[in-house]
Amino acid sequence: MRELHRDGITQIVVTHEMRFAREAADRIVFMSDGRIVEQGKPEIMFTEPSDPLTRQNESSAAPAAGTSSATTDRSTPTRT
């Protein structure tokens, strides 16, 4: 995936790994029961979510000690 990113390939990634999504994405789409609940930039979605379902799940995306929450400009994880 990193190699594809380096090559400028846009990606849509579906993951339940919130730490990875936070670090890799330039945009997050949070879905529940097949519908989009909230979407936005990771730095907003994981620090100031507007929907209660998103807030409920934000704690699983806390960066691990010593890791960065920097985002890329090409990959787009979608969380379900």
Side-chain angles (χ1 to χ4, degrees), residues 21-74:
R22 181 178 182 152
E23 293 174 6
D26 69 336
R27 187 147 192 85
I28 299 287
V29 176
F30 179 75
M31 298 181 72
S32 179
D33 295 326
R35 68 176 184 87
I36 294 174
V37 174
E38 188 171 358
Q39 59 184 314
K41 295 182 179 245
E43 58 269 19
I44 302 299
M45 292 285 294
F46 292 116
T47 59
E48 303 173 34
S50 61
D51 190 275
L53 280 174
T54 310
R55 281 194 296 273
Q56 182 179 3
N57 287 287
E58 78 176 26
S59 63
S60 66
T67 63
S68 167
S69 62
T71 60
T72 67
D73 60 359
R74 301 232 190 262

Side-chain angles (χ1 to χ4, degrees), residues 1-14 20 24-29 72-78:
M1 289 176 60
R2 288 187 173 107
E3 185 177 324
L4 292 172
H5 171 69
R6 282 191 300 270
D7 291 344
I9 305 297
T10 298
Q11 302 170 62
I12 297 175
V13 178
V14 178
F20 168 74
D26 69 336
R27 187 147 192 85
I28 299 287
V29 176
T72 67
D73 60 359
R74 301 232 190 262
S75 63
T76 309
T78 302

